[in-house]
Amino acid sequence: MPLIWHDTGTGVDIPVSAVYHYNAMDAPAPATPSRTATLTLASPLPLLKTETFEGPLDLLLHLIRINQVDISDIPIAEITAQYLACIAMMEALDLTIAGEYLVVAATLIEIKSRLLLPAPPAPDMETPEDPRAELVARLREYERYRSAVETLRAWEDLRRQLYFRGTFESVDDYILPVAPGQVGPEALCAALRSVLQKAGVDPAPVTTVIPRRRLNLRLKMVELLHRLRQAGTAGLLFDQLFQLPCPRYDIVLTFLALLELIRLGRARAEQDALDATIQVYPVSPQGASEVVP
Amino acid sequence: MSDPAPLLPDELVAALECLLFVSGEPVPLTELSRATGRDSETIACALHVLRSRLEERGSGLQLLHIAGGWQLSTRPEHAEAIGRLLTRDSHKLSRAALETLAIIAYRQPITAPEIEAVRGVSVSGVLRTLLDRRLIQEAGRKETVGRPVLYRTTPDFLHYFGLSDLSQLPPLGDETPAEPVPAEAVTDGRVPDGEACTGLQEDTTGQIG
């Protein structure tokens, strides 16, 4: 059982995961704004650690239980204050607070604020939706599995009272009866792993290196320019620029290189008519005339 | 092997005892039938006789219908003595592992995000543990965005909790914690009087004569 503190100030029991004395904890309860809570112990106890919570929903359910409130009618203000107090305490104890706790904290605060706000002027709905509904549904769902956990735990204990003969010591001595379809890939994988382990072979993870081709626009531009100059005044057909078949990125790169050369004034593209073939010519660095290398 | 000669009833019971003794895991009825050359109904009867005889003579062993097969186990009242001889090297499951396992057991096949939606916390580490202990296994992928992996429980899961099959899980949300695997819950239709052979109930303990 988690340790419970009785807060004499508010008369509220607060679960803690360790004994800790703290103060200056702002509980955002509207009844007592900016209240400073100081929790003291009825009797001095040594520092001890008790059961921790299995997540925010677990903590919430615990708060609901110790406050003996109905899960479908949660006093949000009070529960939120206590929930935040617990988180503050965990923080003070340097326990790492998982982000999930903060998500639920934010949810609680959101619900609280929505409860405080006046309901929007009646839309065409019969009854305004309870802002708590979604959280309550989640808590109920979670609670159902928690009761199943108790059963499993009990069975686990009982089952551990029973012992079975181990499997065959040496698989080499027997041909084990295996009906078709009885062994799945997981079982085969597990068997292989155990054999490898016995043989002292470490099943290293399969690794492979996928070489990445370096794309280089500059090199492509040099190559293209060279080809254009070789072609000379005749130039090259647009289609001839692409040495097909080649990977798609090669096509893209060639096209980019062409655009870049045109932008820099090192190449010129001409087209006689719409839909006619495009002819590409080299241009001298001066841009004055076509160069014949 | 050629056809085995038909066994007399007592011999059949003894033969089954042998088969279960040498087997390291639950043996399905069909396998027992194949090994003895007798039909399943006869085997089921003989198993029932074997179970009663073990009880009557105050044997330290009992016959269980567990994880879809039949297997001999020690009786729970001798656990202490065995525990002094053998040391278990497996730890009990954590709360987080049990919670996750319960959700998978009831909602299988289920994806990790769906489990997380129920528990409110990340479950990747817990799933790793459960996979390593072979209590769950992958069951393909869900055809939704991202094609997340589906998980389901294994026969080892049934064995770990002493169940014959998944139907023995208590109805979800039942407030009353289930009695330790109620024998009556095992309805193996082939056992003549419907008496179950799951041995986790405590009513039958203390019959050592």
Side-chain angles (χ1 to χ4, degrees):
Chain A
M1 268 300 292
L3 195 64
I4 311 293
W5 268 355
H6 186 73
D7 183 351
T8 47
T10 58
V12 164
D13 284 334
I14 295 178
V16 293
S17 48
V19 176
Y20 188 76
H21 182 89
Y22 82 108
N23 56 23
M25 203 286 303
D26 288 331
T32 54
S34 72
R35 175 175 59 95
T36 301
T38 304
L39 300 191
T40 49
L41 289 169
S43 59
L45 283 171
L47 189 74
L48 43 92
K49 194 173 184 312
T50 59
E51 191 185 341
T52 51
F53 296 102
E54 286 301 337
L57 297 179
D58 194 24
L59 171 56
L60 259 186
L61 278 179
H62 180 81
L63 290 173
I64 288 166
R65 201 183 321 116
I66 63 164
N67 283 285
Q68 297 182 336
V69 294
D70 186 359
I71 194 168
S72 56
D73 189 24
I74 305 169
I76 286 292
E78 196 50 54
I79 294 291
T80 304
Q82 292 182 25
Y83 183 90
L84 294 175
C86 288
I87 288 192
M89 215 167 318
M90 288 156 110
E91 213 160 28
L93 286 165
D94 281 342
L95 296 177
T96 318
I97 298 171
E100 295 96 357
Y101 281 93
L102 302 179
V103 170
V104 170
T107 308
L108 283 171
I109 292 168
E110 190 212 336
I111 292 172
K112 205 179 112 182
S113 60
R114 278 168 62 191
L115 284 171
L116 288 174
L117 287 171
D124 294 337
M125 284 171 71
E126 311 80 43
T127 48
E129 195 191 340
D130 189 342
R132 299 171 296 184
E134 196 189 330
L135 183 66
V136 168
R138 280 190 68 191
L139 284 172
R140 279 196 197 285
E141 169 92 345
Y142 180 64
E143 201 174 30
R144 283 163 68 211
Y145 291 108
R146 285 214 322 184
S147 62
V149 165
E150 301 309 317
T151 307
L152 290 182
R153 176 67 86 197
W155 285 347
E156 181 187 39
D157 283 341
L158 287 160
R159 164 60 184 76
R160 286 173 75 89
Q161 304 282 305
L162 308 181
Y163 291 80
F164 296 83
R165 275 178 60 82
T167 41
F168 297 112
E169 279 303 300
S170 167
V171 287
D172 300 335
D173 293 349
Y174 305 93
I175 296 166
L176 299 177
V178 176
Q182 252 193 0
V183 176
E186 293 88 2
L188 283 175
C189 183
L192 175 63
R193 206 176 297 144
S194 83
V195 168
L196 289 175
Q197 207 167 12
K198 275 181 194 157
V201 180
D202 182 29
V206 180
T207 58
T208 183
V209 178
I210 301 172
R212 195 179 65 169
R213 234 188 100 162
R214 290 196 71 85
L215 301 180
N216 193 322
L217 188 61
R218 178 173 294 275
L219 282 178
K220 194 53 135 181
M221 283 165 67
V222 170
E223 181 199 321
L224 199 60
L225 194 60
H226 183 65
R227 284 175 55 207
L228 283 173
R229 282 181 178 162
Q230 275 189 335
T233 46
L236 282 171
L237 281 175
F238 180 77
D239 288 351
Q240 289 176 311
L241 298 180
F242 305 95
Q243 290 163 319
L244 298 172
C246 66
R248 184 177 305 180
Y249 58 76
D250 239 27
I251 300 175
V252 173
L253 202 63
T254 305
F255 186 64
L256 283 177
L258 176 64
L259 292 181
E260 196 65 11
L261 287 176
I262 293 172
R263 185 181 74 83
L264 294 171
R266 309 295 290 270
R268 179 166 54 83
E270 283 181 6
Q271 191 178 29
D272 293 337
L274 206 63
D275 291 341
T277 53
I278 299 171
Q279 197 79 24
V280 183
Y281 303 100
V283 177
S284 72
Q286 292 76 33
S289 62
E290 287 154 23
V291 184
V292 182
Chain B
M1 210 172 79
S2 61
D3 275 7
L7 296 166
L8 297 171
D10 279 351
E11 287 176 326
L12 177 60
V13 173
L16 288 176
E17 193 174 8
C18 292
L19 292 172
L20 296 170
F21 170 75
V22 298
S23 175
E25 49 194 45
V27 190
L29 205 59
T30 50
E31 281 303 304
L32 294 173
S33 173
R34 196 176 62 84
T36 54
R38 306 297 290 267
D39 64 87
S40 301
E41 315 250 318
T42 314
I43 300 293
C45 283
L47 284 170
H48 178 59
V49 173
L50 174 58
R51 180 166 180 267
S52 309
R53 285 193 186 166
L54 287 170
E55 248 172 68
E56 280 161 20
R57 71 167 187 242
S59 170
L61 300 177
Q62 61 183 358
L63 181 57
L64 298 183
H65 186 208
I66 190 169
W70 296 84
Q71 193 172 14
L72 289 172
S73 88
T74 62
R75 295 193 67 85
E77 53 264 37
H78 305 302
E80 208 183 324
I82 302 168
R84 283 194 289 265
L85 180 68
L86 307 168
T87 312
R88 279 198 190 276
D89 62 352
S90 70
H91 299 287
K92 284 170 69 169
L93 293 170
S94 66
R95 256 293 293 288
L98 280 177
E99 269 187 28
T100 308
L101 207 46
I103 295 166
I104 295 172
Y106 281 99
R107 301 226 345 228
Q108 57 186 312
I110 186 174
T111 66
E114 286 165 342
I115 303 168
E116 285 167 355
V118 176
R119 289 197 62 221
V121 288
S122 164
V123 294
S124 54
V126 175
L127 286 180
R128 189 74 256 157
T129 308
L130 294 176
L131 283 169
D132 282 350
R133 292 185 71 159
R134 286 204 269 157
L135 296 170
I136 60 167
Q137 65 187 31
E138 293 187 7
R141 287 170 179 279
K142 189 166 186 170
E143 293 303 329
T144 56
V145 177
R147 302 186 73 237
V149 175
L150 288 160
Y151 296 96
R152 63 179 160 92
T153 57
T154 61
D156 281 15
F157 163 82
L158 296 174
H159 205 277
Y160 187 83
F161 292 102
L163 303 172
S164 63
D165 56 67
L166 285 171
S167 70
Q168 287 191 315
L169 289 170
L172 197 52
D174 220 350
E175 281 301 319
T176 50
E179 285 297 305
V181 192
E184 290 76 20
V186 191
T187 48
D188 185 36
R190 294 187 196 171
V191 176
D193 58 2
E195 189 174 342
C197 301
T198 300
L200 287 178
Q201 78 274 19
E202 280 176 332
D203 320 336
T204 59
T205 60
Q207 295 298 315
I208 300 277

